[in-house]
Amino acid sequence: MPEGPSIRHAAADTACPSHPWCAVLGVTLAVFTVTVTEMLPAGLIPQMADDLRVSGGAAGLTITVYGVVAGLTAPAATQWTHRMDRRNLLLAILGVLIVGNLMAGLVTSYPQLLAIRLVMGFAHGLMWSITATIAVRLVPPSSAATATAIAFSGISLALVLGVPGGTFMGAWIGWRSAFLAVVALAAVAWTAVFIVVPRLPQTQARRPGQWRTLLSRRRGIQTILVITVLAVVANYAAYTYLAPFLIHRLDMTEAAVSVYLLVYGVAGVIGNVLAGVLMAYTSAVRTLLCSFLGAASVSILVLALARQAGWATGLFIAIWALSYSALPVLLQTTILQRAPDAREAATSIYVMAFNNSIAAGALGGALGINYISTAAPLLLGALLFMSAVAAARHVRVG
């Protein structure tokens, strides 16, 4: 199936607004807000655990539950909301975040917080099912990949700016205030979407058994999902335990580790943008996937085998982050191209695979670091990235 016509079909079902890139930036702000909401507890676990009188592991479940619920419910949530105008649905999701973060900042017990995060995870999965499809409808067909890249750059920006900011605020005025600050952020995002994003009525008909048809009859989508699972498990097996590796294997201080994590985040933003630019000028998806997957595999392997820190450590972390961050843009765009008649159904399956692979990656890394060595999660990541290269060689061209 030619790739250009696929994107053109995906973008042609609504008239472009007067300022389409303002609308794309509005969606990006929404993505930024959703990602900050997802990852905020990561920097607040000690304070949350002490205040709610639970273990650090239990506090960390507020992230795990959020992600797993998002992955498992994305297809069903997309189906239930099929008839809604996509702009109104985006506003509803942000409304859930406003109420959810407000309630999270006011809870009096751990079960309350866990229940609130569970409901918010449902909205999170729905968000990822519609984000890319909204982005490609806002711009001309030739800019679809670029719009997808800009929208998803909100993820990397959240890891660079939002999550550290929330962590700092939590240490400064308490973890509850950090959640309340995200309420304000979500309110700003809601207002921006209301002002700059046009109405986007649903135009694609829902067909019974659509997901089963996509999985059983479209091998191109099957291959992309396999690559997604391998790459995401690889990345999160390694990234989740990068800090312990740098501290215990390379003898870095915690301050130095924070700098390298910042390097990872900044390089991730660059990777998002680079993928969008490349997709706008070439249709060689298989070559791009193999190149980025291979670069991620080699850079992680070199890091895993290192015995001391140096300037090269930052370089290979940057290559890894740039390479991995380009992949969601490439994979999401390819999913849209392979299913122009069922974009949201295909994307919801992709979201389910992606989010559950994050949990699987973190689990695999935990087993590696607990039973083998601090380098084991990185070695697992390198092996899985290389396996993804083998899968990417079977991606159909055109």
Side-chain angles (χ1 to χ4, degrees), residues 248-344:
H248 300 297
R249 178 70 172 260
L250 302 187
D251 296 322
M252 286 189 184
T253 63
E254 292 186 5
V257 169
S258 66
V259 173
Y260 282 106
L261 293 179
L262 178 61
V263 168
Y264 184 99
V266 172
V269 175
I270 296 172
N272 283 144
V273 176
L274 178 61
V277 172
L278 291 174
M279 287 292 282
Y281 288 98
T282 179
S283 60
V285 176
R286 182 167 60 195
T287 300
L288 292 176
L289 285 172
C290 289
S291 298
F292 284 120
L293 289 165
S297 178
V298 172
S299 58
I300 294 177
L301 180 61
V302 172
L303 284 171
L305 298 178
R307 293 294 181 180
Q308 60 183 12
W311 64 268
T313 305
L315 174 63
F316 285 110
I317 287 176
I319 294 172
W320 164 19
L322 185 152
S323 301
Y324 172 73
S325 296
L327 293 172
V329 176
L330 298 177
L331 294 167
Q332 178 70 81
T333 302
T334 305
I335 283 284
L336 295 177
Q337 293 167 348
R338 297 296 188 263
D341 57 330
R343 297 188 305 272
E344 289 187 356

Side-chain angles (χ1 to χ4, degrees), residues 41 44-46 48-49 52 54-64 110 113-114:
L44 304 173
I45 286 176
M48 291 167 58
L52 298 175
V54 296
S55 67
L61 281 178
T62 58
I63 300 176
T64 304
Y110 173 73
L113 179 60
L114 203 60

Side-chain angles (χ1 to χ4, degrees), residues 116-173:
I116 291 167
R117 293 286 291 180
L118 186 149
V119 174
M120 294 170 72
F122 179 88
H124 182 89
L126 184 55
M127 175 70 180
W128 294 137
S129 294
I130 67 173
T131 295
T133 60
I134 289 177
V136 300
R137 292 179 64 182
L138 294 172
V139 299
S142 59
S143 301
T146 303
T148 303
I150 292 174
F152 279 94
S153 70
I155 299 173
S156 297
L157 288 171
L159 297 178
V160 174
L161 301 174
V163 175
T167 303
F168 173 77
M169 183 170 292
W172 180 35
I173 54 177

Side-chain angles (χ1 to χ4, degrees), residues 15-369:
C16 291
S18 301
H19 301 286
W21 294 108
C22 288
V24 172
L25 291 176
V27 175
T28 304
L29 179 58
V31 170
F32 177 88
T33 303
V34 171
T35 306
V36 170
T37 297
E38 177 187 20
M39 299 304 299
L40 182 65
L44 304 173
I45 286 176
Q47 300 101 305
M48 291 167 58
D50 289 344
D51 188 30
L52 298 175
R53 299 180 181 179
V54 296
S55 67
L61 281 178
T62 58
I63 300 176
T64 304
V65 167
Y66 188 102
V68 171
V69 169
L72 292 178
T73 63
T78 305
Q79 182 178 16
W80 294 336
T81 59
H82 178 78
R83 295 183 181 275
M84 285 187 67
D85 180 289
R86 290 356 235 167
R87 172 196 184 238
N88 293 341
L89 183 56
L90 182 55
L91 290 172
I93 291 169
L94 291 170
V96 170
L97 297 191
I98 292 172
V99 175
N101 281 302
L102 176 61
M103 294 177 66
L106 300 176
V107 296
T108 58
S109 69
Y110 173 73
Q112 291 175 354
L113 179 60
L114 203 60
I116 291 167
R117 293 286 291 180
L118 186 149
V119 174
M120 294 170 72
F122 179 88
H124 182 89
L126 184 55
M127 175 70 180
W128 294 137
S129 294
I130 67 173
T131 295
T133 60
I134 289 177
V136 300
R137 292 179 64 182
L138 294 172
V139 299
S142 59
S143 301
T146 303
T148 303
I150 292 174
F152 279 94
S153 70
I155 299 173
S156 297
L157 288 171
L159 297 178
V160 174
L161 301 174
V163 175
T167 303
F168 173 77
M169 183 170 292
W172 180 35
I173 54 177
W175 70 270
R176 296 176 184 275
S177 296
F179 277 97
L180 296 178
V182 180
V183 173
L185 174 63
V188 171
W190 191 98
T191 303
V193 169
F194 182 81
I195 293 173
V196 302
V197 176
R199 293 188 179 278
L200 297 168
Q202 180 62 278
T203 59
Q204 292 189 334
R206 185 180 68 184
R207 295 185 295 275
Q210 197 171 42
W211 300 312
R212 290 190 296 273
T213 300
L214 289 172
L215 289 173
S216 63
R217 298 183 182 179
R218 300 194 185 182
R219 293 188 60 191
I221 289 181
Q222 294 174 6
T223 303
I224 294 301
L225 291 176
V226 169
I227 296 169
T228 298
V229 170
L230 290 171
V232 175
V233 172
N235 186 73
Y236 283 91
Y239 178 74
T240 304
Y241 300 98
L242 176 60
F245 171 81
L246 295 175
I247 292 172
H248 300 297
R249 178 70 172 260
L250 302 187
D251 296 322
M252 286 189 184
T253 63
E254 292 186 5
V257 169
S258 66
V259 173
Y260 282 106
L261 293 179
L262 178 61
V263 168
Y264 184 99
V266 172
V269 175
I270 296 172
N272 283 144
V273 176
L274 178 61
V277 172
L278 291 174
M279 287 292 282
Y281 288 98
T282 179
S283 60
V285 176
R286 182 167 60 195
T287 300
L288 292 176
L289 285 172
C290 289
S291 298
F292 284 120
L293 289 165
S297 178
V298 172
S299 58
I300 294 177
L301 180 61
V302 172
L303 284 171
L305 298 178
R307 293 294 181 180
Q308 60 183 12
W311 64 268
T313 305
L315 174 63
F316 285 110
I317 287 176
I319 294 172
W320 164 19
L322 185 152
S323 301
Y324 172 73
S325 296
L327 293 172
V329 176
L330 298 177
L331 294 167
Q332 178 70 81
T333 302
T334 305
I335 283 284
L336 295 177
Q337 293 167 348
R338 297 296 188 263
D341 57 330
R343 297 188 305 272
E344 289 187 356
T347 300
S348 67
I349 299 172
Y350 171 81
V351 170
M352 181 171 65
F354 195 103
N355 278 274
N356 288 300
S357 295
I358 291 175
L363 175 61
L367 294 175
I369 199 170

